[in-house]
Amino acid sequence: MEKDYELGGMPALAPGVRVPPPPTSVPRSVQDSEFAGNDISFREIDPVDIQIRNLSVEVDVSPTGLTGLAGSMRTRKRGSNDAKWKTILDDVSADLPKGSLTAILGGSGSGKTSFLNVTSHRMSGSRLKTSGTILYNGGPELSSIRSAYVMQQDVLLPTLTVRETLQYAADLRLPPPTTEQERRRVVEEVILELGLKDCAGTRIGSNVHKGCSGGEKRRTSLGVQLLANPSVLFLDEVTTGLDSSSAHQLVRTMKTLATKGRTILTTIHQPRSEIWGLFDHIVLLSRGSPIYSGPADECLPYFESLGYDLPPFCNPAEYLIDLAAVDTRSPELEETSLDRVEGLKRSWRIRSAQLVTEDMEEKHAALNCPSATKPKKNYQSPVGRQIRVLTARTFKVTYRDPMGMAGSLFEAISMAIITGWIYLALDGSLAGIRSREGALYTAAALQGYLILLFETYRLTVDIELFDRERTENIVGVPAFLISRRLARVFVEDIPVPLLFSVIFYFMAGFRPLASQFFTFFAITLLSQYIAITFATTCVAISRDFAGATLIANMGYTLQSLGCGYFVQSNEIPVYVRWLKWTAYVFYAFGALCANEFVGHTSSPEGQFYDCPFPGGATNLACKEYTGAYVMKSLGFPANWIVRPIITLLAFAIAFYLGAALVLQYWKVEMCIAKARKSDTDYSAGKEMITTRSLVEARTIGITLDKYTLNIIKRNAIGRKAANLSILQPVSASLEPGLLNVIMGPSGSGKTSLLNLMAHRLHSSLSTKYETSGRMLYNGAVPTESVIRSICCYVCQDDDALLPSLTVRETLRFAAGLRLPSWMSTEEKHRRADSVLLKMGLRDCADNLVGSELLKGISGGEKRRVTIAIQILTDPKILLLDEPTSGLDAFTAASIIEVLRGLAEESRTVVLTIHQPRSDLFKHFGNVLLLARGGSPVYAGNGNCMLKYFEGLGFACPQNVNPADFALDLITIDLQHEAKETESREKVQGLAESWNREQPALVRSTSKIATPAELGSMKREMAPLHIALPILLHRGIINFQRQPQLITARIMQVVGLAIILTLFFAPLKNNYYSVQSRLGYIQEFAAMYFVGMLQNVAVYPNEKEVFYREHDDGAYSVEAFFLQYTSLEVPFEIVTSLIFAVLTVLAAGLPRTVQMFFVAAFNCFCIVSCGESVGIMFNTLFRHTGFAVNVTSVVLSVATLMGGVMSLNIPSFLGAFNHLSPIVWSLGNLAPYSLRDQQFTCNDYQRLANGECPISTGLQVLQLYNLDKNAGLNLLALGICTVIYRIVAYLLLRAKRTHWNLRERFRTTKDT
């Protein structure tokens, strides 16, 4: 028997449905007793009243950077002001008394989050203009009040479990005199209260390593903030990602906390009807302006007085959100809704003015009276406790990141072994002495540089949590910096330099003296700490990897040039010679040289090496074989061990202090994205989505036959660690023409089922996905290519959106890539604009998407953009994971209406949904209910669901939302032990009942398809000639709008050239200049690292976008790879030419046309090879930190074996050396730049026969084995560059195709 849920409607709005009567009719005391949860053992707090008056916020949306400079110059010529202000909030007033729960309602983009951010003092910046007043207990300061803020994004450590996350939060947040036992008890109570008991021992997880569900992460984030025991709690969409039952429990918890004196302010999108009665106050916004702000029980009567009566059995929150929404799906709907909203704004301005004259003055006077209890200053744990807790947390996070730890240890061991092999058993010849210098430079500088790069990358990731906790006044800068080192002192800081020292020192053949070895180790250890502290300073200045590595790389270049190895320290030009005293590598390299050449011996000549002439050190011919001569030739004092070590220690301390000062006083501001308005609205008049006729549409029904999923976890040594059952056998029919809805509480496996159906689960070494059962398309088993081709999948996250594109650009580029090639560009644009309008995105069409550091469109708008991209192609099968999460009730209804329209056009639409509004259930065709643990409890027609449960003795009350009833029925109450046992038994009984009943209820598809028929439905990828121009256009726009990235990419090369010129110009022809000229050529190898750093700054993010779009079948690997290369090459050409101008013309290499283009070509090739190596390892490893470590080792080894820093390379390594571009680069640069040079020397440097040790460039080439065919080496460098890029392409293609064959074979075998 089918029930009719529709009763009535509101004027000009969607009709309402039968839901519980407005809960305002229920006495508050009854509600409180009914909804009471566990009593969390928080200590008493100081209550806080908040008064907001005439709050307005404007933002300057004029462009910044180079674009902004050009725009400001144009506007100055016209005599106009170049600032463009956009109103975000307009004249908002509100009273939030202590002990109240206030809801901020409104559609996406209405300013809810902005209002919350301004009220909580988390929105500031030079581009913001704020007016009005916000008073807390009559004062303007929030910092003296304990407050907490739950953001939309979950900033959690993925390797910690839920319980560990909350325990560390309690240790940092709960004030004394709470004991450790009390804190542990509170944590367990919070876990119970938030329904986290079942996942308390589960790791948070990430995109790579799955852990908690989205809803569980959301509740964990709330738990972290609750443990601060705040007087004021700000919540931004805290119920997003939760099912309606969990959301109801959570808001009941908030209500309980509010009744104990807390002031709680929350934005909320789709509250179920029972939640409405829990709110004390309502702030209703529309496009930044208030249309109501006051007590919740006066809200509905106010709107009734304006002629907007609440229909019977309609959810009040949904009704109000519909009232406040502007419907932009058609000009007629927009005009009607805009007139209504403007009228409501005017009415509220009049009403607000009346309230001010009636009672605002009285409230204002009361609020300005001194508080009965003075609020305490926002508590921060003592520094000692902070250090202890952060050290324990960081240590646990470190050892649970095996790839990160393995990266550090792999770098130390592999670098030591390979470099030790290069410098194996050095002899005492002149070549051996030169190689000793290179070996010591490796230990002093190159090893530290690799640590610098890895720590810079790791810090750009870790700093986000520190910024969050410091903003909350939970963690201080000293505790953060000290704890990072204490946590890693025995797992990284000491083991890494110790392993390197032990292996490298004895392989190289340095003297086996304990005193000399421990001096070597002490210097290496100090160099490591300096690299770490310098990396901290770089990240403190710039949070993004591109900017931080630019600072780090330029700083290291100054260090390496000032150390005296590449250019003799006394030959450095006088205007930069003083910099050597500020270069820590100068002291480290000098101390290591003194330790080797003149230390630990009583001889005034220092160590004496294998001079072939008789007479020993007294023979002038043996002068070059004495340690004192080597030290003098390098420009170091003779006694140079103790003082440099003290200076190195001072450097480490100074860098950490500098980092502390920058972190303390340099605030990170969020940029505001500019709205890029077009002159015309291309979407006007294109409201309807044009589709092909139903005759052309071929439908596909999906049948799941006992479909299961298990996850096998393996530990670091490959042994099975856990076997997790995610989905119990699921059997269901998902039909075309209907909305097929999957519902269930958090942790029920909804997302896993969609991922499994879309074939988006990929096994790794640590995680293996095992499936059984079958998935049939029209009765036939589809192939992997068919599934990927005819299925479109909308994920929960929106990370495939490029932040620097506007919404309109995003959709148009997606249309160009995804729509058939037979459509013209104009047709594709029309299609994109029609979808944009249908999804209600017209108002933000020309706004940038934005990111965490670039404020753009709202979270709800991003969600709609992601959905719009997938429905562009009118897919045969559309899978959507929580498409309404993050959307307000009105927008959610609009999205469901669009999806229903797609389904009615004979498409198969499958979606998960958490909080369906009351009038949506009637649109659900088939419903699959999953209980926690992945057990199905119902799968069939939505109209039969209530009848089925009624037959089991669970009748749905007539006035209850059926979706809420079903979710409440299958949700396990984890808040109370007694109810938990009862609810578990109930859910288990429902699952067993369905397991017995399902064979009679699950229908099979009558239409059987052949594999060939399914294959004919495949959607082809965009051809290369279509995809490449579109990707290039998109990439250019995205790149142009990131000036910091452009600056970093250009200045990496140009900055290096400027520093080289400053240190080497002009190149001379005396004896010391031999070392300088060789060092100058060797510095070309630094471009290898520049290429890698440029790649790491761009490629990982672009790769993730490409992976998502390639999974959608949008375009090929070739198109992406050619686009990436095409955008990279112009930068490399331009910067290489600038590099050649500075290195050849300014520094003093032979000033010939040939030398100019040889230098430019070498620079281009080396940078390109560095990019290629970065692509290879960032493709092989998803852990970017590990990829950076491995890549750095490869580049370092290639640099060392180039021919200048090591003269006697073992034959085995010499064979591999031919694969390196550095050996070919130095092999052509040295002959071109040195062959015709003549060198002089002074009397001290002359040999016994009166000749200079080196007098011609040819002698230099012969000494270093570089007297080779320069032209052939130049050609080999070009060939090497091409081969590197081809290998990078083949690896990427293998990653996306061939390696997936193994996964494809496994899936087919299992099914």
Side-chain angles (χ1 to χ4, degrees):
M1 174 176 135
E2 184 177 343
K3 295 186 179 180
D4 181 13
Y5 298 104
E6 185 173 340
L7 274 183
M10 52 173 269
L13 292 173
V17 296
R18 291 183 181 177
V19 293
T24 49
S25 62
V26 180
R28 185 72 64 184
S29 60
V30 175
Q31 294 178 34
D32 291 344
S33 61
E34 179 186 356
F35 297 149
N38 295 296
D39 189 12
I40 303 178
S41 306
F42 284 132
R43 293 176 179 266
E44 291 187 3
I45 50 91
D46 298 310
V48 176
D49 290 305
I50 302 177
Q51 182 189 63
I52 303 168
R53 292 291 177 269
N54 308 114
L55 180 64
S56 297
V57 178
E58 294 178 291
V59 59
D60 180 8
V61 295
S62 56
T64 58
L66 301 175
T67 309
L69 179 62
S72 63
M73 292 176 64
R74 288 195 298 270
T75 52
R76 283 196 189 98
K77 289 181 180 179
R78 296 195 296 266
S80 61
N81 188 358
D82 59 349
K84 298 178 182 179
W85 295 95
K86 176 184 176 181
T87 299
I88 298 178
L89 294 173
D90 184 20
D91 198 23
V92 182
S93 297
D95 285 311
L96 313 175
K98 57 180 176 291
S100 64
L101 174 60
T102 301
I104 308 171
L105 302 177
S108 296
S110 60
K112 303 187 299 297
T113 299
S114 297
F115 177 65
L116 200 68
N117 286 337
V118 174
T119 306
S120 60
H121 289 193
R122 278 170 169 78
M123 195 170 181
S124 61
S126 56
R127 298 170 69 84
L128 283 174
K129 187 163 60 178
T130 305
S131 60
T133 59
I134 306 176
L135 301 178
Y136 310 90
N137 281 346
E141 290 297 325
L142 179 63
S143 59
S144 61
I145 295 169
R146 288 186 59 81
S147 64
Y149 187 103
V150 179
M151 300 192 303
Q152 287 188 35
Q153 298 83 19
D154 299 314
V155 183
L156 302 169
L157 292 170
T159 53
L160 295 181
T161 66
V162 170
R163 179 174 280 109
E164 289 166 348
T165 299
L166 295 176
Q167 284 176 350
Y168 287 128
D171 290 338
L172 288 170
R173 287 168 166 81
L174 286 178
T178 54
T179 64
E180 184 174 351
Q181 184 179 2
E182 288 175 320
R183 293 195 296 270
R184 295 297 173 264
R185 184 176 69 249
V186 170
V187 166
E188 295 304 320
E189 291 169 350
V190 168
I191 288 174
L192 280 177
E193 184 67 24
L194 298 180
L196 294 169
K197 180 180 178 181
D198 277 2
C199 65
T202 304
R203 293 188 185 182
I204 299 296
S206 62
N207 291 333
V208 179
H209 301 286
K210 299 299 181 184
C212 294
S213 68
E216 290 164 344
K217 290 179 183 178
R218 201 80 194 97
R219 282 176 279 162
T220 303
S221 294
L222 174 60
V224 167
Q225 299 304 322
L226 283 181
L227 288 169
N229 193 20
S231 297
V232 182
L233 181 60
F234 302 95
L235 308 165
D236 193 9
E237 297 178 21
V238 72
T239 61
T240 295
L242 303 183
D243 60 89
S244 59
S245 182
S246 298
H248 187 202
Q249 290 179 357
L250 190 146
V251 178
R252 287 188 336 217
T253 299
M254 296 302 100
K255 178 63 179 176
T256 302
L257 292 172
T259 57
K260 297 181 179 180
R262 292 172 181 81
T263 306
I264 300 179
L265 184 61
T266 180
T267 64
I268 193 165
H269 268 152
Q270 301 177 56
R272 60 188 280 179
S273 52
E274 292 89 343
I275 291 178
W276 170 263
L278 301 175
F279 296 138
D280 298 302
H281 289 76
I282 300 294
V283 177
L284 184 59
L285 299 175
S286 180
R287 294 190 173 184
S289 298
I291 59 176
Y292 180 80
S293 177
D297 52 9
E298 297 178 11
C299 181
L300 295 177
Y302 167 74
F303 284 104
E304 288 173 2
S305 69
L306 300 178
Y308 297 99
D309 295 335
L310 177 71
F313 307 114
C314 184
N315 184 335
E318 294 173 1
Y319 176 78
L320 293 177
I321 292 172
D322 288 348
L323 272 180
V326 176
D327 193 341
T328 60
R329 291 175 292 174
S330 71
E332 295 79 12
L333 289 173
E334 180 180 15
E335 183 179 0
T336 302
S337 58
L338 197 57
D339 288 344
R340 180 185 69 244
V341 168
E342 291 300 326
L344 291 171
K345 289 181 182 178
R346 289 193 297 270
S347 298
W348 179 249
R349 278 196 292 268
I350 296 172
R351 174 63 175 160
S352 182
Q354 293 173 352
L355 290 174
V356 169
T357 57
E358 291 173 5
D359 60 355
M360 287 296 182
E361 291 181 2
E362 180 181 345
K363 292 182 180 179
H364 183 72
L367 285 168
N368 278 285
C369 291
S371 301
T373 57
K374 276 281 184 182
K376 300 174 185 177
K377 184 173 178 61
N378 200 2
Y379 168 79
Q380 189 179 78
S381 299
V383 175
R385 186 201 280 186
Q386 290 182 44
I387 293 174
R388 178 176 55 82
V389 175
L390 291 178
T391 300
R393 187 177 73 179
T394 305
F395 177 75
K396 187 166 290 185
V397 169
T398 301
Y399 79 74
R400 283 188 182 168
D401 179 20
M403 292 293 283
M405 278 191 64
S408 298
L409 298 176
F410 169 83
E411 180 275 323
I413 296 171
S414 59
M415 189 71 179
I417 292 175
I418 297 174
T419 54
W421 199 353
I422 292 172
Y423 297 109
L424 186 63
L426 294 171
D427 58 28
S429 65
L430 286 180
I433 293 173
R434 299 289 186 272
S435 293
R436 285 175 189 270
E437 296 174 8
L440 295 173
Y441 173 80
T442 300
L446 201 52
Q447 169 65 10
Y449 178 58
L450 304 191
I451 300 298
L452 171 65
L453 295 183
F454 176 63
E455 184 66 15
T456 300
Y457 168 76
R458 185 163 59 179
L459 261 173
T460 56
V461 177
D462 296 346
I463 201 74
E464 182 182 5
L465 180 60
F466 163 73
D467 284 336
R468 170 76 188 275
E469 291 180 332
R470 182 167 181 270
T471 300
E472 297 166 353
N473 199 30
I474 300 300
V475 170
V477 174
F480 169 70
L481 295 179
I482 295 171
S483 65
R484 280 185 69 84
R485 300 283 50 89
L486 288 179
R488 296 188 169 107
V489 64
F490 295 115
V491 293
E492 284 185 10
D493 292 357
I494 292 178
V496 167
L498 181 60
L499 286 170
F500 176 83
S501 299
V502 170
I503 298 171
F504 178 72
Y505 185 90
F506 294 105
M507 283 188 71
F510 296 122
R511 285 188 306 281
L513 296 176
S515 59
Q516 184 169 328
F517 168 77
F518 283 109
T519 302
F520 180 94
F521 167 67
I523 297 168
T524 307
L525 177 64
L526 286 173
S527 296
Q528 159 133 339
Y529 271 114
I530 291 173
I532 289 171
T533 56
F534 183 40
T536 309
T537 305
C538 295
V539 175
I541 296 171
S542 176
R543 293 294 196 269
D544 65 285
F545 183 77
T549 52
L550 174 62
I551 300 168
N553 216 25
M554 294 302 100
Y556 171 77
T557 303
L558 286 171
Q559 300 291 326
S560 63
L561 293 180
C563 76
Y565 176 68
F566 293 108
V567 54
Q568 207 268 357
S569 58
N570 293 324
E571 290 295 304
I572 298 174
V574 66
Y575 47 84
V576 290
R577 189 178 302 169
W578 58 273
L579 285 173
K580 72 179 182 182
W581 302 109
T582 66
Y584 62 83
V585 178
F586 170 75
Y587 297 96
F589 180 54
L592 288 177
C593 287
N595 185 52
E596 166 62 22
F597 294 120
V598 296
H600 314 283
T601 179
S602 59
S603 172
E605 298 296 330
Q607 300 296 335
F608 181 69
Y609 294 94
D610 301 339
C611 178
F613 306 105
T618 58
N619 188 344
L620 291 178
C622 294
K623 186 187 303 181
E624 293 180 276
Y625 293 86
T626 62
Y629 181 88
V630 175
M631 289 294 289
K632 189 168 184 178
S633 67
L634 291 171
F636 292 120
N639 185 15
W640 195 239
I641 297 180
V642 177
R643 282 178 292 173
I645 290 177
I646 296 173
T647 307
L648 290 174
L649 180 62
F651 264 104
I653 297 172
F655 276 133
Y656 233 30
L657 289 176
L661 291 174
V662 175
L663 288 172
Q664 185 71 36
Y665 298 107
W666 190 316
K667 291 186 177 181
V668 179
E669 291 186 3
M670 174 178 283
C671 300
I672 307 296
K674 176 184 181 292
R676 300 179 179 271
K677 283 290 183 184
S678 302
D679 296 330
T680 57
D681 182 9
Y682 295 99
S683 63
K686 305 176 180 66
E687 306 79 42
M688 301 304 297
I689 297 179
T690 57
T691 58
R692 284 182 266 178
S693 66
L694 295 178
V695 178
E696 299 179 59
R698 287 180 287 180
T699 62
I700 299 176
I702 303 176
T703 301
L704 303 179
D705 183 13
K706 297 181 179 178
Y707 216 29
T708 65
L709 173 64
N710 294 319
I711 296 180
I712 297 177
K713 291 281 189 179
R714 298 188 181 277
N715 56 27
I717 60 176
R719 292 183 178 177
K720 183 186 293 188
N723 192 340
L724 308 176
S725 178
I726 305 301
L727 290 172
Q728 303 299 323
V730 175
S731 297
S733 288
L734 308 172
E735 302 175 74
L738 301 173
L739 283 182
N740 301 278
V741 178
I742 304 172
M743 294 195 301
S746 297
S748 60
K750 303 184 298 297
T751 299
S752 297
L753 177 57
L754 280 188
N755 283 328
L756 186 59
M757 292 173 61
H759 281 215
R760 300 291 176 92
L761 296 176
H762 306 289
S763 296
S764 63
L765 294 176
S766 60
T767 303
K768 182 182 179 182
Y769 297 98
E770 282 193 343
T771 65
S772 63
R774 298 185 301 167
M775 179 175 66
L776 307 175
Y777 283 8
N778 289 349
V781 177
T783 63
E784 176 91 6
S785 59
V786 167
I787 293 173
R788 292 185 178 277
S789 178
I790 64 180
C791 274
C792 284
Y793 184 33
V794 179
C795 302
Q796 281 191 42
D797 47 33
D798 307 310
D799 56 2
L801 301 177
L802 292 171
S804 298
L805 296 183
T806 66
V807 171
R808 192 190 306 279
E809 289 167 346
T810 298
L811 290 179
R812 288 191 171 186
F813 284 127
L817 292 168
R818 295 164 187 261
L819 292 178
S821 56
W822 51 262
M823 293 180 68
S824 66
T825 302
E826 185 179 351
E827 289 175 322
K828 292 179 180 181
H829 285 180
R830 280 202 301 268
R831 169 70 181 166
D833 292 335
S834 66
V835 171
L836 181 146
L837 191 62
K838 196 71 174 177
M839 298 298 291
L841 292 167
R842 198 188 69 174
D843 283 350
C844 63
D846 297 297
N847 291 347
L848 298 182
V849 171
S851 64
E852 293 179 2
L853 295 177
L854 180 70
K855 177 64 177 174
I857 59 178
S858 69
E861 289 164 341
K862 285 183 182 178
R863 187 95 276 253
R864 281 180 278 162
V865 173
T866 303
I867 298 171
I869 289 173
Q870 297 298 336
I871 68 174
L872 279 169
T873 57
D874 287 338
K876 299 288 183 188
I877 300 174
L878 182 60
L879 307 177
L880 305 102
D881 194 9
E882 299 180 23
T884 60
S885 286
L887 303 182
D888 61 90
F890 173 80
T891 307
S894 302
I895 296 301
I896 295 297
E897 183 181 339
V898 172
L899 297 178
R900 189 162 59 94
L902 289 172
E904 289 173 351
E905 292 164 355
S906 299
R907 291 169 180 81
T908 305
V909 179
V910 184
L911 65 147
T912 64
I913 193 165
H914 266 156
Q915 301 177 47
R917 59 182 279 169
S918 51
D919 55 350
L920 295 183
F921 184 80
K922 65 178 181 291
H923 299 312
F924 295 171
N926 288 317
V927 174
L928 171 59
L929 280 179
L930 294 174
R932 181 180 289 272
S935 300
V937 295
Y938 179 79
N941 192 286
N943 293 327
C944 301
M945 183 185 73
L946 296 183
K947 182 180 179 181
Y948 168 74
F949 286 124
E950 187 175 351
L952 297 177
F954 300 98
C956 176
Q958 186 178 11
N959 299 327
V960 171
N961 181 349
D964 291 341
F965 164 77
L967 287 170
D968 289 345
L969 188 63
I970 64 174
T971 297
I972 298 173
D973 190 339
L974 299 175
Q975 292 181 316
H976 309 86
E977 290 186 11
K979 291 185 178 180
E980 179 186 350
T981 303
E982 179 185 344
S983 59
R984 281 190 188 276
E985 292 176 354
K986 177 186 65 177
V987 173
Q988 185 177 355
L990 290 171
E992 292 173 352
S993 297
W994 177 249
N995 195 40
R996 292 191 299 268
E997 296 285 340
Q998 59 175 326
L1001 293 176
V1002 176
R1003 301 181 302 275
S1004 60
T1005 308
S1006 59
K1007 180 179 177 181
I1008 304 298
T1010 64
E1013 188 177 352
L1014 287 177
S1016 66
M1017 298 182 186
K1018 288 173 58 177
R1019 186 181 73 250
E1020 298 297 328
M1021 285 184 174
L1024 181 63
H1025 69 277
I1026 291 178
L1028 182 57
I1030 296 173
L1031 290 172
L1032 283 172
H1033 187 197
R1034 185 177 76 173
I1036 290 171
I1037 292 175
N1038 186 53
F1039 211 59
Q1040 282 178 339
R1041 293 177 185 166
Q1042 300 182 73
Q1044 74 282 359
L1045 195 58
I1046 297 175
T1047 302
R1049 184 174 275 271
I1050 292 175
M1051 290 309 298
Q1052 287 278 15
V1053 177
V1054 175
L1056 182 59
I1058 292 172
I1059 293 172
L1060 289 178
T1061 303
L1062 287 175
F1063 273 84
F1064 286 94
L1067 288 171
K1068 301 176 182 177
N1069 287 79
N1070 56 28
Y1071 177 69
Y1072 290 133
S1073 68
V1074 174
Q1075 176 186 348
S1076 298
R1077 286 181 179 270
L1078 286 171
Y1080 192 52
I1081 296 169
Q1082 177 66 38
E1083 283 295 329
F1084 274 67
M1087 294 299 163
Y1088 216 4
F1089 288 93
V1090 168
M1092 180 269 287
L1093 294 176
Q1094 291 181 353
N1095 173 266
V1096 174
V1098 176
Y1099 180 76
N1101 293 330
E1102 292 199 0
K1103 179 191 68 175
E1104 292 303 318
V1105 174
F1106 161 64
Y1107 280 6
R1108 183 69 61 83
E1109 294 177 330
H1110 188 259
D1111 283 338
D1112 293 338
Y1115 52 90
S1116 64
V1117 175
E1118 290 77 13
F1120 167 74
F1121 198 82
L1122 287 174
Q1123 170 259 340
Y1124 182 86
T1125 301
S1126 300
L1127 291 178
E1128 163 210 337
V1129 166
F1131 277 96
E1132 291 173 358
I1133 292 175
V1134 172
T1135 53
S1136 296
L1137 292 173
I1138 298 173
F1139 182 86
V1141 169
L1142 292 170
T1143 56
V1144 175
L1145 301 182
L1149 289 179
R1151 294 183 176 90
T1152 63
V1153 174
Q1154 181 190 56
M1155 191 69 240
F1156 176 84
F1157 285 107
V1158 164
F1161 183 74
N1162 275 270
C1163 177
F1164 170 82
C1165 289
I1166 297 174
V1167 172
S1168 179
C1169 286
E1171 286 260 12
S1172 298
V1173 175
I1175 294 173
M1176 294 177 201
F1177 288 104
N1178 277 296
T1179 299
L1180 287 172
F1181 306 110
R1182 293 198 67 177
H1183 194 293
T1184 307
F1186 186 81
V1188 168
N1189 265 326
V1190 176
T1191 309
S1192 299
V1193 171
V1194 171
L1195 303 189
S1196 299
V1197 171
T1199 300
L1200 292 175
M1201 295 195 304
V1204 172
M1205 298 179 68
S1206 177
L1207 303 184
N1208 299 313
I1209 301 174
S1211 56
F1212 177 76
L1213 290 177
F1216 279 97
N1217 200 23
H1218 290 90
L1219 301 175
S1220 167
I1222 303 300
V1223 71
W1224 304 115
S1225 175
L1226 296 182
N1228 74 78
L1229 282 171
Y1232 279 126
S1233 62
L1234 288 171
R1235 182 159 288 159
D1236 298 326
Q1237 298 298 316
Q1238 301 292 324
F1239 297 100
T1240 62
C1241 61
N1242 55 38
D1243 293 338
Y1244 169 78
Q1245 295 162 340
R1246 293 184 185 276
L1247 300 177
N1249 58 8
E1251 295 180 358
C1252 294
I1254 296 176
S1255 58
T1256 65
L1258 186 60
Q1259 288 178 290
V1260 178
L1261 297 176
Q1262 291 170 346
L1263 175 63
Y1264 286 88
N1265 299 318
L1266 294 172
D1267 185 18
K1268 300 174 183 177
N1269 189 316
L1272 285 178
N1273 282 334
L1274 192 67
L1275 176 62
L1277 176 62
I1279 295 173
C1280 185
T1281 303
V1282 175
I1283 292 175
Y1284 267 48
R1285 192 51 58 100
I1286 292 174
V1287 171
Y1289 157 72
L1290 292 175
L1291 279 174
L1292 180 61
R1293 182 169 178 78
K1295 179 81 170 179
R1296 299 303 298 166
T1297 55
H1298 174 68
W1299 292 345
N1300 285 345
L1301 288 178
R1302 180 180 60 187
E1303 179 74 15
R1304 189 180 314 165
F1305 173 78
R1306 180 194 62 77
T1307 304
T1308 305
K1309 180 180 177 181
D1310 290 341
T1311 56

